[in-house]
Structures are given as structure tokens and as C-alpha cells.
Amino acid sequence: MALASATGKPCHNPPIVKKICLSVGDRSEERTVESWFADAKPIDSLEPEIAFRLWDQFHPAPEHQPEPLDLPEFPRASRLLARTSEVTAHEAELAAYYGRVAALARQHALKIHQVRQYFWMDLRLDNEEADVHLSFPWYDTVSSMDHFLAAVAGNDQGMLHDDQDQGWAVEAWAFDGTLYIRQSNPDSDDEPGQSVVLPRADLQARIAPLRERTAKLMAYLAKELGPDVWLGGEVQSAGPFDQR
């Protein structure tokens, strides 16, 4: 398959080699791209999902014993994770769970920044059949996750996303409808990480309903609870953490 140039003209190098063709004015030139493209695992698709991290205990302070925290009862694959697809039609039950978190925080006179971990979320890209599991451990709010999702969902070519934090890095590239994603550990030469290549349109088609579903859930929770903690925003004065 040929790569698209910056002007939309096809280049004749295959997408997994180390060179791509770019048209600059009336000239064509080759530029080196990432060497890991050649080792990327070809897959048909990835399933993107965002999940709420749940806790079955509330830890008010190091000197206090943890207190039990009742979990939502709706069906889900993982006891301490609630995927957006699982929460649909159970929004009130999830809101009630977070209401219990807020009540315990008020009881111990805790501010939102002291209990923010109870509102963390997870973003994952999985293909069970191909045994591919890409995680984003440093993205714990919708706003941080959406930078990646929006980049893949758009139409830009070349490097779409590049980020790293302690022991983790992710990068995504796109050329002519083909998407390359790599997760690695920049602090270790002994961990090869995971790299995949797949059709961009398929992942885009899955990202669109995920973003829509997540936005609706965030709006519901914000309406019920006040502070928009999942989006990384600031606490509203009349929210459930208000100590008045």
C-alpha cells in the first residue's frame, strides 16, 4: 500500500519501511520515520474503552482505619472497574456510589484534592483475540484521555500523539489510512513494549460512540454531583464537597 504525501500524492514505499515520501512544492523528498514500524503487529482493530475506577474502601487518613464503601451492583466484567458501556442505563447507581464517596469526604472534612483518586478513570485499547492490550496509566481524567482520542479521530497525518511519563510512553502515527501505535517503557531497554498497525478508519468508528457515550455520562454525573472532577475541572462552590 502506498503512503500519502503531504499534498495527497501517493508515495511508492510500503508503510512499514523506514522512509516516507513527502512533496514539498514541486519536489519530492524522503524522510526517515520510526524504525519500530517494521516490527508493528498487524491487527484488524482495537476496542477503545473508558472505565471508572471503583474502590470498596474509603481511606480518610493514614492514622484512620479504612471504612467500607459499597460498590454499585450493576453487572460488569471487573469488580473494581465500571466501563462506560456497562454504566449505560445504570447512571443513577454510579452517581449514588460517588455520592457515598462525597459523603465520607464531608464526614472527614476532606477537600476534593485529597480524595481525587476516587474519581480516577482508565483508558484502554484492547484486542483480545490478538492479545494486544494498550494502557494509559498516567491518563486518569477524561480531558487527558481525549487528547489522544481526538488526535486519532481527526484527519492529521504523520505523528498524531507523543507522550511519556515515569516508566511509560505512547506514540501514534498515521499514513494514508494506516495507524501505528506503540506503547513502551522509555526507562528500560529490556522491555520491548507493544507496537501495532491497523486501519485507522476502524478505530475512528469505535472512538466516535465512546466519546459520545462518555460525554453523556460526564454531563449526568456533573448534574447529579456538582463538581466536574472527572474532567479535571475545579470544584463548584455548591457541590457535594462544599463544607457549608
Side-chain angles (χ1 to χ4, degrees):
M1 179 171 56
L3 293 177
S5 69
T7 60
K9 298 178 182 179
C11 298
H12 298 291
N13 289 328
I16 60 173
V17 299
K18 297 182 181 180
K19 300 285 185 179
I20 60 171
C21 298
L22 294 175
S23 293
V24 182
D26 58 356
R27 297 181 295 106
S28 292
E29 62 182 50
E30 288 188 334
R31 294 183 183 176
T32 301
V33 296
E34 299 298 297
S35 60
W36 59 264
F37 285 9
D39 299 319
K41 182 177 184 177
I43 58 176
D44 294 331
S45 64
L46 282 168
E47 187 63 48
E49 181 59 285
I50 292 173
F52 298 85
R53 299 186 200 175
L54 306 178
W55 297 66
D56 58 6
Q57 290 184 326
F58 185 85
H59 299 260
E63 65 274 12
H64 289 81
Q65 289 294 318
E67 301 181 28
L69 180 57
D70 291 337
L71 294 170
E73 295 183 356
F74 57 81
R76 51 190 182 275
S78 176
R79 180 171 175 269
L80 296 179
L81 285 175
R83 301 173 183 174
T84 60
S85 56
E86 297 169 330
V87 176
T88 301
H90 301 283
E91 296 89 346
E93 194 172 344
L94 184 64
Y97 161 80
Y98 284 116
R100 293 191 287 275
V101 173
L104 286 167
R106 286 196 305 271
Q107 179 181 326
H108 293 279
L110 298 174
K111 301 293 186 181
I112 181 60
H113 70 274
Q114 296 173 292
V115 294
R116 190 172 291 278
Q117 69 271 24
Y118 294 95
F119 299 88
W120 284 348
M121 302 177 73
D122 274 334
L123 170 64
R124 294 189 61 88
L125 303 175
D126 294 300
N127 183 316
E128 297 292 342
E129 183 177 346
D131 194 27
V132 172
H133 306 282
L134 304 179
S135 61
F136 299 75
W138 294 99
Y139 295 174
D140 49 39
T141 64
V142 172
S143 57
S144 60
M145 299 169 186
D146 203 57
H147 286 295
F148 174 84
L149 296 174
V152 175
N155 297 310
D156 289 348
Q157 298 288 307
M159 178 178 280
L160 305 177
H161 189 83
D162 184 20
D163 195 13
Q164 68 177 59
D165 212 313
Q166 300 174 35
W168 171 85
V170 66
E171 55 186 300
W173 297 68
F175 299 107
D176 191 30
T178 300
L179 185 66
Y180 299 83
I181 305 176
R182 183 192 189 201
Q183 178 184 297
S184 60
N185 181 354
D187 301 326
S188 173
D189 295 329
D190 299 326
E191 297 182 32
Q194 293 187 87
S195 55
V196 296
V197 53
L198 68 154
R200 186 179 189 181
D202 181 88
L203 184 53
Q204 288 176 321
R206 296 167 188 262
I207 285 175
L210 171 62
R211 294 177 78 193
E212 180 180 0
R213 187 167 66 239
T214 303
K216 289 180 179 178
L217 282 170
M218 295 300 98
Y220 181 92
L221 291 170
K223 180 181 178 181
E224 293 295 312
L225 297 168
D228 208 356
V229 291
W230 298 273
L231 289 170
E234 296 299 323
V235 176
Q236 305 299 316
S237 60
F241 292 90
D242 188 9
Q243 301 297 325
R244 293 177 299 174

